[in-house]
């Protein structure tokens, strides 16, 4: 207990050094503590007979020197005057160390002495300021590592070994540890390792403690690596900061591998029964003997000299320890570790232990390793070579540890390990993660877990792509890994397993990494690479590998080249000549082939047929020979064994079978090899002969047809005197012989055999290549290459996530898949990959179950119970709302889902109409989605009088009790399922797709509109099913909604929308909801868009002509509503309709209503709005409106008053003509004014013609009112200055025609007479109109050349009326003479009718009396009495005013 409390107080000191007074660190307390330790050791020694009975009374024998020194210390301890810091630690340590060193002491005594030293070390008595501290620390380490004691029982031996470990660890953790030398640190580790070995035969506890101590030591030593100077000496910096640096390491570190008892690989005999622990440092000697560590310049490393080893510790000891740990892995190098082993052929304990230590060293040394060439060289070569080997171990524990180490190395040192990482993924992960290479399920799982860990590193896949996939000399690791993850996530004919989920996690980690990078900038569409001219593709370099502006285009260019080379390889394999021509065409080979470029094509292009390459290289053609020599020149055989070099060379093509070809190939090889690695060879001929000899030996040893195999002596004898006349060293040839015997040189290399195994020769080649490979590109968190990467993996990824989603049964897996889908959508949208997004939408729509033909009795309930379908549905609509801009053909699938929800009655009741009614809803707002939190009680109160399409309707159906078919009350489960369905639909925000369509990109909007038209189906003549019609109506509603929401882009949509409505209108023969929606939708579009789109006004109004084409029955049914809409349109937009074409459409629509009993009221109201006071009359619509008003005037549908009102509107429009004429004369140029007057004349003529027709109306009031209005229109236009020539036309077409028509009616059959009541009154009015107009215009008419003819016609009409036989015709008989007389008098007064002697047809005087005398012979004498001219004149002047008055 006391010791524990002491420990805790020590920790308190470390944390708060200022509070020193109250701590036991004061001088007196320390003296007491050391004293108590001396007492403890003496007490244990006295219990032993040997020590307790030495002193005999009276004898001269003294006590043993060990006891004496302890007692002497006891005497001195309280008398020291100085502070402890200034006392030489050897004074109070030496007695204890002597006890530890002594081989006479037993285990208990040694144990207590070790405890005392441990206590002194942990009391912080020693630090770097203590006097003579260096010697003190060295003496502690020397004493403890050479501890000797007698073993009495196993338990006490284990206790002592435990305490040795405790003290050694305390030395390393002490503040004064920086004073230890490299030699001492190595000794401590070596001693500790020997205890680990020893513990194999001891108890479990000691084994665990020993291993734990070894771990702590390694952690403690390597934690100093970040703080050492970057020098050759690389010493740990001294000073008080050291404690702070290591304080954090004193944590619980669990070494979680299961340590097996015993370790069969150790040569250590384990005999410590003598209690002697040897002093020689086995680790040091073994490592120094080997000295095979290579520095980064490739030369053998020189062992550290002893002077450096005695300096304070730093990198030298870390190099030795790291090398030692790697050498522990070499112990098993000769054991079969491949996949072919059926069991764990080697005890996993030692490699697992060594790998754990290595992992700790890398975790703490981390990135600092790169600053120390020797350490880095160990990692690059020896460590990684062993990791590659142990990666294929059958033990999942070892594989897992290897993967952890590689992950740590990736984090800290990936810039220095580019090709090593490629090799690890190609030869280990990709082989093990697939069952086809013979890996067990456990191996596959561990490899997959490791891969997923890598994928979770945000930049891992990008860096693999940038550094390996975009490098022509490396494999496509990113592509292979992405394909592996996709394939591994696919459950093929089996249920979903943890492996599938694991692969999916990896895939989604990669995708989510891309999605996260999107927000960080640099998301731009990559510019296509174009090789305009030939540049040697193997020479492409980047100016700055650290600057994205340089390396991004560089890697894209390299990837393009690599892809082209692969295509070239494919062409080459089919026809070598065409393959080379193709590459010349793409500027990858020069127009005129040169040997170097072809050689580099063969050397660096994957996927070439090695047989064809071998044939080409072996060819005797001069160009082929040059290519062969250039090809050999691409190899680096520096410091390589001949057989290794030959293996590498022959791996790249198939050695031809003909001896001449073989000779040519070997000559080229030998020349290159001798040039780079002459070593003991005298000349290149020696290299050639020896190479030939090796090929023959290889054939001899590995060809089954050769029965008698060549012996070592035969081989040596065959190669005598080949080295410039001398023999090669026997050992050299022996080594070659056994290398070939054990490991065949494959002269027929496998063609693309998946992922190759890592052979020693390949490893050597990899190390050579790693010195020349382009620098490792570190990527940041921006999306530089994601577009290219995603394009590669999107298809398999969507497929994989979809299959897992399909097979999954748990919500957490569903959620993982959904996250993946959303990430894919985000990336597709941001990188403008519309096809990918469409594929995703298609995939997801299948999972909503909404597209499946409904075989379920209650699809709504089934949907509510299906979590997967609900999640998929929400996801589809989330994507549609978030990323709709980039959906194209996918809209069709989304609409299919919406239509299915509509058919099931699950959509909010007003999705479509609300989508468009944003402005009209303000007066009566309705919630878009129904409240989904209705209680069951509320639901049951809802009745179902009809099939409702709303969401509540579905509920009421479910919950109602139908009278004909009684249904049970819904269960709790059913209610819950419905509630879930409701909530799901609410989360979808389906309405937003349409209300927010104004923000969609143009392409997407167009596709959405097309999808709606497609979904509605083509209207069929005849009967369509109610369900189809319902769908068509719903689609049309949505189409109109998006049209109205996109008024600014109406030009984009209009054509398609209009054609769709035309199809509906033209194919409908009976009134139905669809045609109703089409017609009124069209009217609404026009109403809403006219104010905004003046340039489209004509087109919009022309579209209303469709209404005129409606089938008569259909038109009749909707006429009233159509008219109301047109009326509304006119009232709102009259000022915006400017073209005659637009008004023609409006007028036509209004005219039709004149004879419709229901619609005429609205139609007339609209017409009145236009014509009243000429408010909206214009030259563009005058004639059209007058014509429409005439039709209303003639219509018998309304009251007579309305017809009279219509006539008034016609008559009132004259004021507009007058006004226009005045404006023209004031404002316009003469020519323009004349033109307008001409137009006004035409309009006026049309107006009076219209009134003429109304004058023939059967209704007396209307007829007579029209006559009076006509008279007003004819006489009230003096201000217009109508062209003179217009009047004869007017008389002919209007007045005379009307008079003739009325006369005809008056003389008609009795039925006609009956229909036209009081016709004689009308005749009177008509005659009066004739004379008044004639007299009013007399001055103008008299100037006409045709006046005489006109006057004859007037007299003729009077004569005709005089002779009419009508009821109550007396009035007419009286009126005609009077009117004629008045007319003649006025003509006389005005000087128009004067006696004339002129003869001929145009003589007015003559013609007048010729005709008048036929009717009233007496009139001439009345008007011109011959006897008294003056009185006659007086009479006439009196008569004229009376005529005018009439």
């Amino acid at each position: 207990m006391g010791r524990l409390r002491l420990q805790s107080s020590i920790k308190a000191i470390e944390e708060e050094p200022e509070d020193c007074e109250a701590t036991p660190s004061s001088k007196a307390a320390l003296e007491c503590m050391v004293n108590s330790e001396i007492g403890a050791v003496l007490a244990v020694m006295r219990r032993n007979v040997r020590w307790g009975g030495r002193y005999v009374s009276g004898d001269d024998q003294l006590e043993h020197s060990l006891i004496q020194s302890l007692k002497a210390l006891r005497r001195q301890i309280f008398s020291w005057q100085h502070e402890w810091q200034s006392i030489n630690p050897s004074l109070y340590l030496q007695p204890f160390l002597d006890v530890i060193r002594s081989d006479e002491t037993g285990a208990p005594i040694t144990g207590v002495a070790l405890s005392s030293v441990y206590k002194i070390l942990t009391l912080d008595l020693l630090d770097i300021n203590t006097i003579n501290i260096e010697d003190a620390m060295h003496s502690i380490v020397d004493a403890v590592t050479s501890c000797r004691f007698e073993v009495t029982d196993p338990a006490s031996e284990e206790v002592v070994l435990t305490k040795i470990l405790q003290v050694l660890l305390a030395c390393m953790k002490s503040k004064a540890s920086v004073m230890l030398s490299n030699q001492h640190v190595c000794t401590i580790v070596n001693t500790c390792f020997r205890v680990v070995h020893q513990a194999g035969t001891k108890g479990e506890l000691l084994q665990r403690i020993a291993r734990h101590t070894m771990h702590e030591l390694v952690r403690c030593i390597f934690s100093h690596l970040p703080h050492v100077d970057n020098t050759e000496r690389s010493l740990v910096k001294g000073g008080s900061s050291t404690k702070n640096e290591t304080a954090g390491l004193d944590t619980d570190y669990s070494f979680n591998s299961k340590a097996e008892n015993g370790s069969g690989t150790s040569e250590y005999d384990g005999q410590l029964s003598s209690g002697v622990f040897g002093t020689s440092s086995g680790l040091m000697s073994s490592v120094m003997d080997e000295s095979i560590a290579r520095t980064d310049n490739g030369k053998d490393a020189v062992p550290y000299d002893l002077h450096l080893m005695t300096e304070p510790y730093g990198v030298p000891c870390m190099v030795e320890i790291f090398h030692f740990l790697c050498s522990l892995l070499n112990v098993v190098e000769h054991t079969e570790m491949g996949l072919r082993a059926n069991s764990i052929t080697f005890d996993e304990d030692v490699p697992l232990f060594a790998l754990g230590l290595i992992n700790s060293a890398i975790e703490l040394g981390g990135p600092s390793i790169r600053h120390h060439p020797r350490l880095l060289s160990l990692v690059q070569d020896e460590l990684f070579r062993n990791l590659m080997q142990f990666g294929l171990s059958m033990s999942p524990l070892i594989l897992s540890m290897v993967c952890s180490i590689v992950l740590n190395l990736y984090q800290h040192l990936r810039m220095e390990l580019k090709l090593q990482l490629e090799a690890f993924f190609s030869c280990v992960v990709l082989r093990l993660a697939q069952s086809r290479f013979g890996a067990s399920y456990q191996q596959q799982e561990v490899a997959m877990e490791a891969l997923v860990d890598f994928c979770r590193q945000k930049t891992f896949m990008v860096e693999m792509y940038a550094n390996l996939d975009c490098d022509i000399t490396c494999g496509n690791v990113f592509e292979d890994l992405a394909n592996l993850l996709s394939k591994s996530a696919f459950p093929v004919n089996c249920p979903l397993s943890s492996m599938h989920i694991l692969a999916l996690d990896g895939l989604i980690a990669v995708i989510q990494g891309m999605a996260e990078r999107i927000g960080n900038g640099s998301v731009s569409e990559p510019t296509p690479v174009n090789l305009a001219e030939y540049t040697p593709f193997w020479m492409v370099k980047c100016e700055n590998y650290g600057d994205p502006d340089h390396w991004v285009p560089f890697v894209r260019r390299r990837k393009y080249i690599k892809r082209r080379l692969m295509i070239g390889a494919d062409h080459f394999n089919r026809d070598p000549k065409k393959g080379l021509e193709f590459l010349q065409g793409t500027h990858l080979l020069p127009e005129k082939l040169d040997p170097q470029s072809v050689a580099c094509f063969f050397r660096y292009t994957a996927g070439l047929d090695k047989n064809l390459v071998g044939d080409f290289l072996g060819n005797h053609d001069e160009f082929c020979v040059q290519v062969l020599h250039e090809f050999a020149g691409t190899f680096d055989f520096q410091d390589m064994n001949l057989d290794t070099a030959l293996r590498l060379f022959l791996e790249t093509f198939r050695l031809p079978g003909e001896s001449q070809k073989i000779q040519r190939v070997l000559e080229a090889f030998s020349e290159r090899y001798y040039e780079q690695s002459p070593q003991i060879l005298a000349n290149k001929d020696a290299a050639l002969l020896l190479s030939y000899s090796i090929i023959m030996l290889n054939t001899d040893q590995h060809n089954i047809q050769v029965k008698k195999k060549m012996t070592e002596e035969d081989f040596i004898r065959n190669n005598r005197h080949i080295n410039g006349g001398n023999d090669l060293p026997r050992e050299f040839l022996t080594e070659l012989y056994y290398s070939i015997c054990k490991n065949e040189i494959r002269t027929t290399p496998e063609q693309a055999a998946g992922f190759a195994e890592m052979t020693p020769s390949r490893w050597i080649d990899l190390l050579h290549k790693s010195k020349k490979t382009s620098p490792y590109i570190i990527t940041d968190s921006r999306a530089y290459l994601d577009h290219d990467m995603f394009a590669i993996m999107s298809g398999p990824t969507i497929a994989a996530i979809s299959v897992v989603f399909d097979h999954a049964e748990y919500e957490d897996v569903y959620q993982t898949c959904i996250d993946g889908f959303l990430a894919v959508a985000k990336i597709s949208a941001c990188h403008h990959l519309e096809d990918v997004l469409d594929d995703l939408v298609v995939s997801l729509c299948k999972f909503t179950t909404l597209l499946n033909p409904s075989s379920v009795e209650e699809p709504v309930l089934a949907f509510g119970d299906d979590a997967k379908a609900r999640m998929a549905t929400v996801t589809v609509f989330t994507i549609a709302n978030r990323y709709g801009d980039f959906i194209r053909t996918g809209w069709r699938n989304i609409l299919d889902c919406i239509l299915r929800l509509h058919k099931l009655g699950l959509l909010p009741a007003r999705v479509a109409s609300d989508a468009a009614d944003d402005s009209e809803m303000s007066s009566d707002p309705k919630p878009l989605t129904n409240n989904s939190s209705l209680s069951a009680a509320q639901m049951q109160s809802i009745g179902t009088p009809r099939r409702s399409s709303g969401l509540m309707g579905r509920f009421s159906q479910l919950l109602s009790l139908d009278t004909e078919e009684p249904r049970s009350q819904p269960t709790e489960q059913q209610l819950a399922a419905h509630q879930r369905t409701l909530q799901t639909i609410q989360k979808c925000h389906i309405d937003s797709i349409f209300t927010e369509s104004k923000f969609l990109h143009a392409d997407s909007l167009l596709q959405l509109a097309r999808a709606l038209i497609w979904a509605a189906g083509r209207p069929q003549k005849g009967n369509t099913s109610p369900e189809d019609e319902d769908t068509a109506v719903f689609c049309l509603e949505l189409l109109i909604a998006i049209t109205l929401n996109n008024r600014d882009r109406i030009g984009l949509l209009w054509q398609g929308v209009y054609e769709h409505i035309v199809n509906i209108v033209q194919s409908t023969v009976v009134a139905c909801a669809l045609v109703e929606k089409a017609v009124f939708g069209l009217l609404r579009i026009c109403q809403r868009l006219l104010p905004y789109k003046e340039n489209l006004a004509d087109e919009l109004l022309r579209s209303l002509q469709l209404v005129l084409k409606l089938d008569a029955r259909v038109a009749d049914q909707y006429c009233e509503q159509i008219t109301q809409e047109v009326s509304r349109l006119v009232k709102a937009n009259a000022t915006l309709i400017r073209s005659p074409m637009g008004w023609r459409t409006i007028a036509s629509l209004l005219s039709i209503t004149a004879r419709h009993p229901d619609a005429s009221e609205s139609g007339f109201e609209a017409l009145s709005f236009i014509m009243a006071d000429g408010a909206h009359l214009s030259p563009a619509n005058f004639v059209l409106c007058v014509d429409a008003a005439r039709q209303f005037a003639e219509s018998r549908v309304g009251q007579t008053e309305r017809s009279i009102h219509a006539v008034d509107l016609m008559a009132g429009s004259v004021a507009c003509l007058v006004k226009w004429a005045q404006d023209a004369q004031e404002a316009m140029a003469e020519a323009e004014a004349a033109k307008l007057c001409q137009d006004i004349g035409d309009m006026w003529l049309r107006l009076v013609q219209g009134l003429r027709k109304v004058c023939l109306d059967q209704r007396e009031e209307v007829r007579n009112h029209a006559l009076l209005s006509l008279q007003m229109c004819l006489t009230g236009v003096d201000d217009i200055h109508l062209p003179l020539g217009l009047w004869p036309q007017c008389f002919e077409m209007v007045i005379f025609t009307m008079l003739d028509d009325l006369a005809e009616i008056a003389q008609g059959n009795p039925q006609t007479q009956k229909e036209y009541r009081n016709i004689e009154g009308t005749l009177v009015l008509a005659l009066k109109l004739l004379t008044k107009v004639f007299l009013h215009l007399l001055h103008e008419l008299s100037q006409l050349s045709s006046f005489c003819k006109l006057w004859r016609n007037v007299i003729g009409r009077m004569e005709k009326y005089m002779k009419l036989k009508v009821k109550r015709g007396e009035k007419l008989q009286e009126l005609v003479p009077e009117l004629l007389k008045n007319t003649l008098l006025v003509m006389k007064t005005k000087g128009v009718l004067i006696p004339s002697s002129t003869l001929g047809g145009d003589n007015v005087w003559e013609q007048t009396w010729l005709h008048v005398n036929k009717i009233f012979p007496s009139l001439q004498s009345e008007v011109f009495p011959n006897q008294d001219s003056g009185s006659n004149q007086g009479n006439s002047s009196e008569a004229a005013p009376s005529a005018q008055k009439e």
Side-chain angles (χ1 to χ4, degrees), residues 700-815:
D700 176 89
Q701 291 295 319
H702 300 286
N703 190 328
I704 48 171
Q705 293 174 347
V706 178
K707 302 298 180 204
K708 189 180 179 210
K709 303 291 184 190
M710 194 186 296
T711 62
E712 181 188 341
E713 285 304 322
D714 294 341
F715 181 68
I716 292 169
R717 188 166 55 250
N718 289 347
N719 289 300
R720 279 192 189 141
H721 312 310
I722 66 167
N723 195 23
N726 300 318
D727 286 349
L728 287 161
R730 185 181 179 87
E731 310 77 55
F732 174 71
L733 292 172
T734 300
E735 189 186 334
L736 277 178
Y737 175 81
Y738 284 109
S739 169
I740 301 300
C741 290
K742 270 194 276 183
N743 195 353
E744 178 186 2
I745 296 177
R746 296 188 177 276
T747 52
T748 52
E750 66 279 4
Q751 298 278 355
F755 303 105
E757 289 183 52
M758 182 49 70
T759 59
S761 57
R762 283 180 187 155
W763 183 256
I764 292 166
D765 185 43
L766 182 144
L767 291 176
H768 277 72
K769 275 185 188 166
S770 64
K771 290 170 197 149
K772 295 177 180 174
T773 189
S774 57
Y776 189 95
I777 295 167
I778 294 281
T779 62
D780 57 24
S781 57
R782 283 178 285 184
Y784 297 117
L785 300 171
D786 287 353
H787 179 281
D788 306 356
M789 293 165 62
F790 187 68
I792 291 170
M793 66 182 293
S794 57
T797 300
I798 294 173
I801 302 175
S802 302
V803 172
V804 173
F805 191 61
D806 193 22
H807 285 68
E809 293 172 2
Y810 299 104
E811 288 216 14
D812 56 337
V813 182
Y814 297 163
Q815 193 54 54

Side-chain angles (χ1 to χ4, degrees), residues 830-902:
C830 289
H831 291 295
H832 300 275
L833 296 165
E834 290 88 357
D835 294 352
V836 177
L837 197 55
D838 287 338
D839 290 348
L840 175 63
V841 168
V842 170
S843 231
L844 265 170
C845 286
K846 291 175 189 164
F847 295 116
T848 60
T849 66
L850 297 173
L851 306 185
N852 311 348
S854 182
S855 54
V856 194
E857 195 175 311
E858 258 304 347
V860 182
L861 284 179
F863 184 73
D865 288 329
D866 188 345
K868 186 189 294 185
R870 293 200 312 277
M871 287 173 93
T873 306
V874 172
T875 310
V876 166
F877 289 109
T878 304
I879 290 172
N881 276 310
R882 273 190 209 164
Y883 309 116
D885 281 345
F886 306 97
I887 296 175
R888 298 289 179 265
T889 54
W891 283 123
R892 290 191 174 191
N893 303 74
I894 292 169
L895 277 173
D896 283 343
C897 293
I898 293 175
L899 289 175
R900 178 75 174 138
L901 289 170
H902 174 66

Side-chain angles (χ1 to χ4, degrees), residues 169 172-173 189 211-227 245-255 313 318 321 325 356-366 408:
L169 185 56
M172 283 311 302
K173 289 190 172 181
V189 174
R211 286 166 181 255
H212 177 70
T213 307
M214 189 79 178
H215 265 278
E216 286 298 300
L217 277 175
V218 169
R219 288 172 68 81
C220 188
I221 292 163
F222 279 88
S223 67
H224 288 289
L225 186 58
H227 310 296
E245 289 159 8
T246 57
L249 296 173
D250 209 356
T251 54
D252 261 340
Y253 176 76
S254 58
F255 181 59
Y313 87 93
M318 295 184 203
I321 292 164
L325 297 177
L357 294 173
I358 288 168
N359 197 32
S360 294
I362 289 164
E363 282 172 346
L364 291 160
N408 276 321

